[in-house]
C-alpha cells in the first residue's frame, strides 16, 4: 500500500493524464494565457452544470467572496451574518472590507449554520448573510431563503467545499448548491471537490445587473477598457486552469460519488461505536463529502492523532480555532461569544483521508487502525 494522504491528487491525475496534458499544451501553444477561449468555455459549461445564468471566473475562492461583497455596494459597519465554524476566508473578506462579522452557531449534526440563530442575529444593520455549505453538506436553504426574503437581505453562498452538492426543497425541486442565493462563490483550490492544478475561483448569479457589476469589480472596475467606474480588483482564472477544470468538470459527479462511497465505508465501519459520531446526512442535502469528519466522544484527540500518525494514517482538525476566537478579529470582541456548539465541535472533530481514489484496502487499514487506537 502506498503512503496514505488526506487528498491523493496524483492518482487522480494519472487516470486523466493524456487528456489533461493535451489540453495544457494546447493552451501553451495558443499563447492565450489570460482570458483565452478556455475560460469562456469553462464558464459556460459550469453555468450549465449548476443551472445558473452567469458564471464569473476569478483567481481564487477568497477573491470570489470579496468580489461578491464589493458588488453589493456595502458601507463600512454593515453587518454580515455567518457561521464561526468555517474556514477563515469567509470572514477575512468581511473584515478586509471594514464590514462587521456577526457570528452564529452551527447545528452539531450538520456542522452548518443554525437558522434560528440567524433569525436572532438579524438587526437593522444586517446587509448580507453568508451560508457556508461546510464539508460538502448543503445548509438548510429553504427556511434561510424565506428568512432572507422576509428581511430583504441578500444571501452569498460559500460553496467552496460543496460544488456538486444539491438541496432538495419541500416541493421536490432540486437545486445545486451555489445556485440558490443572490450570489454563489466557489474555489478551485487543488484539494477542493472540483480542483485545478493551482488557484482558481468563480462567482455565480442569476441576476443580470449584478453579473455586470461582478465582472466589473473583478476587472479593475471597468466594463469598457481604460474607463474605470469604481474601485475593483484584478482577479482572473488562468486559461491553463480553465482548460484543466473543463476536463475535471466532466468527472465531477463521478468524483462526488467516489467520495460518497468512501464515506459509506467509513460510516459502516464506525457505526454503533459509542465513542464515534459519524457525519449526519441531512435528508435535504446531497452530501458530497469534501471532508469526512467524525466527532470523538471521551477520546484524547491529540493522543489519537499521534497514534494514527505512528501507523501512517494522516488526520486533520478542521478547524482547531473557530473564527470568532481568531486574533485576526480581536477588534470585534467576539472571542468570548457564547457559541456552545462551535466550541464543542472544535474540541472533538477529526477529519480522515477523503478523496476520489481511496481503495477498500486503504479504507480498511484506516478504519481498523482508528478503532484499535480508541479501543
Ligand atoms: C477553500 C475555502 C475558501 C477559499 O478558497 P481559496 O481558493 O483557497 O481562496 C473559502 N471558503 C471556504 C469554506 C473554503 O473551504
Amino acid at each position: 500500500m502506498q503512503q496514505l494522504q488526506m487528498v491523493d491528487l496524483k492518482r487522480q491525475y494519472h487516470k486523466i493524464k493524456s487528456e489533461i496534458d493535451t489540453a495544457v499544451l494546447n493552451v501553451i501553444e495558443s499563447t492565450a494565457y489570460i482570458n483565452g477561449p478556455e475560460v469562456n468555455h469553462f464558464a459556460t459549461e459550469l453555468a450549465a452544470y449548476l443551472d445558473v445564468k452567469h458564471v464569473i471566473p476569478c483567481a481564487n475562492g477568497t477573491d470570489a467572496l470579496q468580489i461578491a461583497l464589493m458588488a453589493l455596494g456595502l458601507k463600512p459597519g454593515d453587518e454580515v451574518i455567518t457561521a464561526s465554524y468555517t474556514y477563515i476566508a469567509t470572514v477575512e473578506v468581511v473584515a478586509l472590507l471594514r464590514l462587521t462579522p456577526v457570528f452564529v452557531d452551527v447545528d452539531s449534526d450538520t456542522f452548518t449554520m443554525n437558522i434560528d440563530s440567524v433569525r436572532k442575529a438579524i438587526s437593522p444593520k444586517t446587509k448580507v448573510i453568508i451560508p457556508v455549505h461546510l464539508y460538502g453538506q448543503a445548509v438548510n436553504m429553504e427556511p434561510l431563503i424565506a428568512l432572507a426574503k422576509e428581511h430583504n437581505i441578500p444571501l452569498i453562498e460559500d460553496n467552496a467545499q460543496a460544488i456538486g452538492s444539491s438541496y432538495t426543497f419541500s416541493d421536490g425541486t432540486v437545486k445545486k448548491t451555489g445556485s440558490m442565493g443572490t450570489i454563489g462563490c466557489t474555489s478551485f483550490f487543488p484539494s477542493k471537490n472540483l480542483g485545478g492544478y493551482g488557484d482558481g475561483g468563480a462567482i455565480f448569479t442569476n441576476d443580470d445587473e449584478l453579473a455586470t457589476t461582478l465582472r466589473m469589480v473583478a476587472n479593475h472596475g471597468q466594463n469598457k477598457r481604460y474607463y474605470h467606474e469604481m474601485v475593483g480588483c484584478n482577479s482572473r482564472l488562468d486559461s491553463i486552469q480553465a482548460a484543466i477544470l473543463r476536463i475535471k468538470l466532466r468527472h465531477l459527479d463521478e468524483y462526488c460519488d467516489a467520495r460518497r462511497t468512501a464515506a459509506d465505508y467509513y460510516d459502516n465501519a464506525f457505526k454503533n461505536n459509542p465513542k464515534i459520531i459519524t457525519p449526519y446526512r441531512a435528508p435535504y442535502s446531497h452530501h458530497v463529502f469534501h471532508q469526512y469528519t467524525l466527532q470523538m466522544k471521551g477520546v484524547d484527540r491529540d493522543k489519537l492523532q499521534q497514534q494514527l500518525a505512528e501507523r501512517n494514517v494522516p488526520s486533520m482538525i478542521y478547524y482547531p480555532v473557530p473564527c470568532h476566537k481568531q486574533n485576526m478579529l480581536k477588534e470585534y470582541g467576539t472571542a468570548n461569544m457564547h457559541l456552545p456548539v462551535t466550541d464543542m465541535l472544535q474540541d472533538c472533530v477529526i477529519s480522515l483521508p477523503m478523496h476520489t481514489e481511496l481503495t477498500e484496502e486503504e479504507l480498511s487499514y484506516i478504519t481498523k487502525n482508528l478503532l484499535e487506537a480508541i479501543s
Side-chain angles (χ1 to χ4, degrees):
M1 205 170 68
Q2 306 172 29
Q3 169 66 46
L4 287 165
Q5 292 180 321
M6 287 301 288
V7 180
D8 192 323
L9 296 172
K10 194 158 189 165
R11 272 188 281 172
Q12 192 194 55
Y13 163 56
H14 279 276
K15 286 188 178 160
I16 51 173
K17 179 175 171 9
S18 66
E19 229 185 324
I20 295 271
D21 291 0
T22 305
V24 169
L25 290 173
N26 283 345
V27 175
I28 296 174
E29 194 63 43
S30 77
T31 75
Y33 309 135
I34 302 292
N35 290 338
E38 292 293 329
V39 178
N40 280 332
H41 290 316
F42 172 62
T44 306
E45 289 159 10
L46 185 58
Y49 175 84
L50 294 168
D51 194 20
V52 289
K53 233 165 138 187
H54 306 278
V55 168
I56 297 112
C58 66
N60 57 66
T62 311
D63 274 12
L65 290 160
Q66 182 184 327
I67 293 161
L69 288 168
M70 287 171 80
L72 291 174
L74 308 172
K75 309 183 297 304
D78 284 349
E79 292 178 359
V80 179
I81 296 176
T82 194
S84 171
Y85 195 80
T86 179
Y87 180 54
I88 193 68
T90 317
V91 181
E92 185 181 27
V93 293
V94 172
L96 185 73
L97 296 172
R98 311 312 300 160
L99 307 168
T100 303
V102 173
F103 292 115
V104 295
D105 215 348
V106 291
D107 288 321
S108 63
D109 51 358
T110 61
F111 302 105
T112 59
M113 66 179 6
N114 175 279
I115 309 302
D116 283 332
S117 308
V118 175
R119 184 187 309 278
K120 288 182 193 132
I122 291 176
S123 85
K125 286 199 198 160
T126 307
K127 290 294 163 349
V128 180
I129 301 169
I130 309 183
V132 183
H133 305 299
L134 201 77
Y135 299 158
Q137 171 124 277
V139 170
N140 194 1
M141 291 301 285
E142 186 159 0
L144 184 63
I145 291 169
L147 182 62
K149 272 215 179 103
E150 188 187 314
H151 294 271
N152 202 17
I153 301 168
L155 291 177
I156 299 177
E157 294 176 73
D158 184 341
N159 197 32
Q161 298 193 2
I163 197 157
S165 173
S166 57
Y167 180 88
T168 305
F169 287 81
S170 51
D171 68 358
T173 313
V174 179
K175 287 196 177 166
K176 287 273 197 287
T177 52
S179 73
M180 294 170 277
T182 315
I183 303 177
C185 295
T186 206
S187 162
F188 305 122
F189 186 82
S191 64
K192 302 282 159 116
N193 285 27
L194 177 59
Y197 294 174
D199 276 311
I203 311 155
F204 326 128
T205 188
N206 285 311
D207 181 320
D208 299 341
E209 214 174 302
L210 206 44
T212 305
T213 312
L214 288 162
R215 278 183 217 286
M216 269 173 75
V217 173
N219 183 25
H220 300 292
Q222 65 187 336
N223 260 336
K224 189 171 159 201
R225 204 165 189 189
Y226 305 128
Y227 292 80
H228 306 274
E229 305 298 334
M230 62 200 293
V231 175
C233 55
N234 175 28
S235 191
R236 296 182 288 241
L237 180 70
D238 279 9
S239 301
I240 287 179
Q241 297 307 329
I244 292 165
L245 289 165
R246 283 185 78 193
I247 294 164
K248 291 192 66 182
L249 177 59
R250 292 174 210 140
H251 296 279
L252 178 56
D253 285 340
E254 165 204 319
Y255 289 159
C256 291
D257 287 345
R259 288 170 178 274
R260 286 167 58 84
T261 304
D264 290 343
Y265 189 103
Y266 280 138
D267 280 358
N268 204 41
F270 297 139
K271 72 170 178 230
N272 304 329
N273 189 303
K275 293 182 182 165
I276 305 177
I277 301 178
T278 55
Y280 172 68
R281 302 184 196 193
Y284 50 73
S285 162
H286 178 72
H287 200 322
V288 294
F289 288 98
H290 175 59
Q291 299 298 345
Y292 185 85
T293 304
L294 299 172
Q295 295 177 53
M296 305 304 301
K297 297 293 164 184
V299 170
D300 179 339
R301 190 175 59 174
D302 290 341
K303 187 168 150 226
L304 171 60
Q305 275 204 291
Q306 194 191 322
Q307 284 171 306
L308 290 172
E310 280 160 13
R311 297 158 196 215
N312 292 315
V313 176
S315 63
M316 289 290 282
I317 310 304
Y318 300 114
Y319 299 90
V321 181
C323 293
H324 72 285
K325 288 186 175 162
Q326 294 286 354
N327 286 336
M328 177 202 274
L329 301 173
K330 59 174 181 286
E331 69 181 274
Y332 296 99
T334 54
N336 296 319
M337 277 187 80
H338 188 57
L339 297 174
V341 179
T342 299
D343 290 339
M344 179 276 287
L345 290 173
Q346 168 218 325
D347 291 334
C348 77
V349 290
I350 184 167
S351 299
L352 298 180
M354 176 48 79
H355 55 81
T356 60
E357 309 305 314
L358 282 163
T359 64
E360 285 218 3
E361 186 195 10
E362 290 166 333
L363 289 162
S364 151
Y365 181 83
I366 296 164
T367 51
K368 185 168 81 56
N369 279 291
L370 186 138
L371 289 168
E372 271 173 23
I374 61 168
S375 69

